[in-house]
Amino acid sequence: MEDIFRIGVITSTHGLKGEVKVFPTTDDVNRFKTLTKCFIRTTKGDLQVEKNTCKFFKNMVIFSFKEFKDINEVENYKNCEIYVTREDAVPLDED
């Protein structure tokens, strides 16, 4: 069984305040509303982050993290994947 699950990919920055556009790779995009912590997978390893804000625009999720306050801090994370651990994953329905 897997212990971590990919829920999205950071495609670009959004605005100047450290928000990113995330392409969701999960069946339930509403899971981003209840998400509290996740990991950004980089070439240097996984970086644990906490959600600050979440909103939706077309097929994308506009997301900000408490750790980043401006565009310069998040630019390096373009094309990085976002993961959650099993304990933070959405529980499956029976059957």
Side-chain angles (χ1 to χ4, degrees):
M1 237 183 215
E2 301 225 7
D3 291 329
I4 59 172
F5 304 96
R6 184 176 75 168
I7 60 168
V9 178
I10 298 173
T11 60
S12 64
T13 59
H14 180 79
L16 301 174
K17 297 183 180 180
E19 292 179 315
V20 293
K21 288 184 182 178
V22 176
F23 179 77
T25 59
T26 178
D27 292 342
D28 184 9
V29 293
N30 290 316
R31 69 129 24 261
F32 285 94
K33 291 180 184 177
T34 59
L35 184 68
T36 56
K37 62 182 177 178
C38 57
F39 295 90
I40 299 174
R41 179 153 289 167
T42 69
T43 56
K44 297 178 182 176
D46 291 346
L47 174 67
Q48 184 172 354
V49 292
E50 289 185 51
K51 178 186 83 171
N52 189 30
T53 62
C54 171
K55 52 191 172 186
F56 301 95
F57 181 71
K58 297 186 180 181
N59 66 333
M60 303 296 273
V61 181
I62 309 297
F63 211 68
S64 71
F65 304 102
K66 291 181 179 178
E67 291 78 6
F68 308 121
K69 300 298 179 213
D70 68 46
I71 189 172
N72 298 319
E73 295 176 334
V74 295
E75 275 186 329
N76 296 332
Y77 300 105
K78 289 181 189 175
N79 300 316
C80 289
E81 298 173 331
I82 299 176
Y83 287 85
V84 294
T85 60
R86 179 171 294 285
E87 64 187 34
D88 294 321
V90 174
L92 296 175
D93 294 333
E94 269 190 51
D95 298 327

